[in-house]
Amino acid sequence: MPDYIPGYIKLYKKGELKKRADEALKRLENCDICPHNCRVDRTKGERGRCGAPSNLIISGFHRHFGEEKVLVGDRGSGTIFFSNCNLSCVFCQNCDISCYGEGYEISEKKLADVMIRLQRYGCHNINLVSPSHYWPNIMMAVYYAALKGLNIPIVYNTGGYDALSALKSLDGIIDIYMPDIKFSDDKMGEKYAGVKGYFSVTKKAVKEMYRQTGDLKVDKRGIAYRGLLVRHLILPDDISGTKGVLEFIANDISKNTYVNLMDQYYPAHRAEDYPPLNRRITANEFQRAVETAAKLGLTRLEK
Ligand code: SF4
């Protein structure tokens, strides 16, 4: 990565980063920053579907060693957890933070200080977890952080339900996109994540992420610095529609996509009320997913 300069630094030097952040923050007055398009005025205390206020709420930040190995390396991924979420997964594994918005308010300037602190710890990147309902504030924080010398890649770690207009605003600011693709059937998205058109929206979003950043690139140490990394959590009885997700990635994105097939599902939140989500997946279910990926020619797997 020695020669890689994150895109946000270029935009900062051109004076465009602050302009984009100012414009983006205005959108919170009639909030359309994610596909729910609630049109509430968050700056006047109104809340939309995500329940997020206009100020940033985070539940914490730390040097994380449990993320993908291409993000963690030997010094960790500088992870910041944002509260609230624009999805309502019945099996949410972070419900206190995502469903109930636990956390504390932080200004954009203080969030910039957090980013600088994570960089000083030696983290390889800034990893924004669940940013889709806060990205305008985050953009402003990145501006303040660039002013203070932030120079490591930024990872957009999202549930995948992102608006195209949001991603276009983020073009050139995000170095690594890491979306989940949770389901390949919109009906499953509606039933289990509470949103309409999950796969339809996510497909468009992931195509745009790929257009901006391409296949995942790693440096000599094996640390990612730019590109797309897709996560897919395998659910019991193939509720996640794994074949459809992997076919989309292989045929419509790139066979060279870095894919994390995740086997760690466990019943959380309201999953006990939604059988078969009330059990873990079996070794066979996971093996089938790995074989499907291999048949489709997807070889860059983290599993
Ligand atoms: S970010 Fe929240 S308030 Fe804004 S459109 Fe999305 S769900 Fe609605």
Side-chain angles (χ1 to χ4, degrees), residues 191-247:
K191 183 167 178 188
Y192 297 112
V195 295
K196 286 196 191 304
Y198 175 83
F199 192 43
S200 308
V201 166
T202 302
K203 276 193 290 188
K204 286 188 198 145
V206 173
K207 281 184 182 171
E208 173 61 17
M209 293 171 187
Y210 183 73
R211 186 196 69 73
Q212 290 180 22
T213 60
D215 290 322
L216 194 71
K217 294 163 200 66
V218 296
D219 65 15
K220 285 185 193 142
R221 302 165 302 167
I223 310 293
Y225 59 92
R226 187 170 177 80
L228 174 71
L229 190 167
V230 176
R231 282 177 165 175
H232 177 63
L233 179 68
I234 296 152
L235 295 174
D237 272 13
D238 199 28
I239 282 172
S240 40
T242 296
K243 186 160 180 275
V245 169
L246 295 175
E247 280 174 348

Side-chain angles (χ1 to χ4, degrees), residues 28 31-40 42 46-52 85-86 132-134:
L28 299 182
C31 193
D32 66 345
I33 68 160
C34 93
H36 288 300
N37 201 17
C38 300
R39 300 282 176 183
V40 293
R42 285 169 60 181
E46 292 173 14
R47 306 280 176 109
R49 164 66 193 263
C50 62
C85 187
N86 69 350
S132 306
H133 45 293
Y134 285 123

Side-chain angles (χ1 to χ4, degrees), residues 4-21:
Y4 180 71
I5 298 172
Y8 62 85
I9 293 180
K10 295 177 204 160
L11 291 174
Y12 163 69
K13 285 185 177 160
K14 281 199 274 179
E16 203 185 315
L17 188 52
K18 170 85 166 41
K19 196 167 142 256
R20 276 207 220 173

